[in-house]
Every structure is written in C-alpha cells, then in structure tokens.
C-alpha cells in the first residue's frame, strides 16, 4: 500500500490550475496537509497560453507556463503534497469520501474539485483523421509547425482572437472562421485582430469538414469545407491547419453524477463554493462559465480553501 493510501487525508484538491494551486497554498499555510492531484495536464489551461497581460502584479505580462510553475512551487513550499496522477472516480455517498486513481484508492474528509474545462471539438469525421496533423486546439503548443503557412482559427470569442493573433505572427495568412457576422470577443481583442493585416475574417461560416491527404505515412490537412450559415452554400478553403477555439466543456464527467451540475455540466455551487454534497467544494472553470479568468479561478480557489478550513474545524480536524 502506498503512503498516500494509508490515512484519511484532510483535504484532497483535484486539479492543478490557478484554482487548485491557490487552494493548496491556503490550506498548506493553514497546516492542513492538503494533497493535490494534478491530472493529465499539469498546470491546466494556462500552460497552453502565451503572455498573460491581465494577471495583477505583472505590469510587463507573464508567461502562462511560468506562472503556473511558480504557483506549484508556492503550494509545495507551504506543504501541499503534489501527486502527478489523475483521479478517475469518487464515491461521495458517505464520509470520509473515497477517491480512486487508475491503480490506487484512498479517503479524504473533504474535497476541492478544481478540474477546469477542456476545449470543445466540432465532432467532424476529419477532426479525428487529422487530429494533430492539421487539427489543433492550442496555437502556442502547435502553431510553430505552421510557420510561413496558411491556417484557420474557428470561433469568434477572446480565445479565438488570442489564438489568431499568436498565429498571425508565425504564419503567412490566418483565416478566422466565425458562424456569425459579429465577434463575441472583447472590444480590445477584437479591434487588435481586425487590424491585423494578414488576418482575414470569413463571416457567417461553419466548418462542414476537414479535408486532406491520407495517402502518406501521416495524414496531412490541405483544406476546410465551409458551410454558410445564411444559405446552404459550401466552399473549400485551402489551409495547412485548423485551430479550434469554440469554447470549453467542464471536466466533471468523472464525478459520475454524484455532484449537481447544470445543463452544460458545470458544477453548481453555493456562495461558499460548496456543492450539493457537504464537504465537497468546487473552484474555477469547473463551475464558473462566466468569468473564466486566471485571477477569478485563483480567487475561487482561495474561497474554497477558507471554507474547507471552516468545514474541517467543524468536524474537529484542525491539522
Ligand atoms: P466563448 O467566449 O464562449 O466563445 C466561443 C466562440 O466559439 C463564440 O464566438 C461562439 O460563437 C463560437 N462557437 C461555439 N460553438 C461553436 C460551434 N459549434 N461552431 C462554431 N462556432 C462555435 O469562449 P472563449 O473564447 O474560449 O472565451 C471564454 C471566456 O474566457 C470568455 O469569458 C473570455 O472573455 C475569456 N478569455 C479571456 C481572454 C483574455 O482576456 N486574454 C482570453 C481567452 C478567453 P458565437 O459567438 O456565435 O456564440
């Protein structure tokens, strides 16, 4: 039996984005020996972002992965036990709660769910065929493969503008494919994108499919079939890659319906970040589909940690 499985943990934090690390910092400093399970993408979505210009305290901006590594170091410094593994399922029917990874099972008096959200896909046949061979969801991760080439970004929100502006610095041409004729993105991001010379906006269009060459060792994307949203017309656009930026799906499926979620799968919390299960809290993009910022996720992580501290004190657990 691994060390981690022997005793009942005071609190297990699931997720390693700003919400999870912040909860770790607070609970570690409160001497509550938090254990944080990182999940498959250590550092969460911010590790796929470039310069963060709106996290207070960094007037020159901050590199996303570096910010996350600093948060991790800070949580560790104050006593958070970090486990580089993924929680696959939980049993919340009684306390202490049971949590399971692929090959271990252990218990905890309280849980903070900070598993964030994952990029949405369009579920087109070509998406699977050309995944990572011209179909991507992260320009910072994969954009450099398309230096000097032509790419498309799908979506009209801030994420799409951020991806498109990043790619415009590397690529010869960037199409932005949006299903309406008006961007959802904030004014500042939209204005910057609209003023970028090598960016072309393809309005009122959705992607019908991704096309390419599958005859070689690896599939290669060559274009997109666009479908008009105002009439039934379709057309082909030659691109070397498509970057999807059409929003996110909350990572709540592993909870198996034991925690109340809304229609889109976001966890429902009360003012104290508590879910419908006493002792189970949620923080960050897993419940917040409105603000979804690093700073708000960190704030929710702080709130959840302070509430867990109170909850544990009520249970007589103080260290
Ligand atoms: P979002 O604001 O929900 O935008 C998603 C975009 O994808 C929308 O334009 C939407 O079109 C489009 N879309 C959704 N489903 C689609 C489909 N099936 N087919 C085609 N298009 C589809 O998501 P986001 O851009 O990821 O932003 C999420 C939040 O994070 C926002 O609050 C945003 O402000 C924030 N954010 C901020 C920054 C920053 O400040 N640096 C960066 C990134 C994100 P419609 O417009 O027609 O709905």
């Amino acid at each position: 039996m691994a060390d981690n499985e022997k005793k009942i943990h005071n609190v297990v934090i699931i997720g390693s984005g700003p919400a999870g690390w912040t909860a770790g910092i607070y609970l570690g400093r409160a001497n509550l020996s938090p254990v944080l399970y990182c999940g498959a993408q250590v550092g969460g979505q911010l590790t796929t972002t470039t310069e963060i210009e709106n996290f207070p305290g960094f007037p020159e901006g901050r590199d996303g992965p570096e910010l996350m590594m600093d948060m991790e170091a800070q949580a560790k410094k104050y006593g958070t036990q970090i486990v580089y593994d993924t929680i696959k399922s939980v049993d919340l029917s009684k306390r202490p709660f049971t949590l399971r990874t692929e090959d271990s099972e252990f218990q905890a008096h309280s849980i903070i769910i900070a598993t964030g959200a994952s990029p949405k896909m369009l579920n087109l046949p070509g998406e699977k065929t050309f995944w990572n061979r011209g179909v991507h969801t992260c320009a910072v991760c994969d954009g450099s493969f398309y230096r000097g080439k032509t790419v498309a970004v799908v979506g009209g929100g801030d994420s799409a503008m951020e991806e498109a502006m990043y790619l415009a610095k590397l690529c010869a041409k960037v199409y932005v494919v949006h299903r309406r004729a008006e961007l959802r993105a904030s004014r500042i991001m939209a204005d910057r994108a609209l003023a970028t010379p090598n960016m072309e906006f393809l309005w009122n269009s959705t992607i019908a499919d991704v096309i390419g060459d599958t005859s070689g060792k690896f599939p290669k994307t060559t274009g997109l079939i666009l479908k008009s949203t105002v009439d039934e017309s379709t057309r082909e656009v030659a691109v070397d890659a498509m970057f999807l930026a059409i929003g996110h799906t909350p990572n709540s499926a592993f909870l198996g319906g034991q925690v109340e979620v809304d229609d889109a799968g976001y966890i429902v919390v009360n003012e104290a970040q508590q879910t419908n299960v006493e002792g189970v809290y949620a923080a960050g993009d897993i419940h917040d589909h409105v603000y979804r910022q690093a700073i708000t996720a960190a704030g929710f992580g702080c709130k959840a940690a302070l509430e867990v501290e109170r909850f544990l004190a009520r249970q007589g657990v103080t260290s």
Side-chain angles (χ1 to χ4, degrees), residues 166-249:
Y166 180 84
L167 289 164
K169 290 185 199 140
L170 299 175
C171 303
K173 170 124 193 162
V174 178
Y175 292 109
V176 175
V177 183
H178 185 35
R179 63 185 177 184
R180 294 187 291 135
E182 195 189 339
L183 294 172
R184 175 179 295 277
S186 55
R187 198 67 261 155
I188 185 168
M189 304 277 276
D191 285 349
R192 270 190 216 166
L194 289 163
T196 305
N198 59 339
M199 216 182 277
E200 184 178 334
F201 287 77
L202 306 177
W203 304 109
N204 298 317
S205 304
T206 55
I207 311 291
D209 212 348
V210 185
I211 48 174
D213 181 2
T214 52
S215 62
K217 189 173 173 198
F218 298 112
K220 185 179 183 309
T221 298
T222 56
L224 301 172
I225 303 172
L226 300 193
K227 188 167 177 263
S228 166
T229 54
V230 289
D231 55 42
E232 286 302 299
S233 64
T234 58
R235 64 175 163 143
E236 251 180 66
V237 179
V239 298
D240 299 291
M242 165 180 88
F243 287 81
L244 291 169
I246 57 168
H248 292 82
T249 305

Side-chain angles (χ1 to χ4, degrees), residues 54 122 154-160 162 178-180 184 189 206 245-248 290-293:
N54 51 11
L122 289 166
V154 185
D158 280 333
S159 297
E162 203 171 62
H178 185 35
R179 63 185 177 184
R180 294 187 291 135
R184 175 179 295 277
M189 304 277 276
T206 55
I246 57 168
H248 292 82
V290 179
Y291 304 107
R292 304 164 80 166
Q293 302 298 299

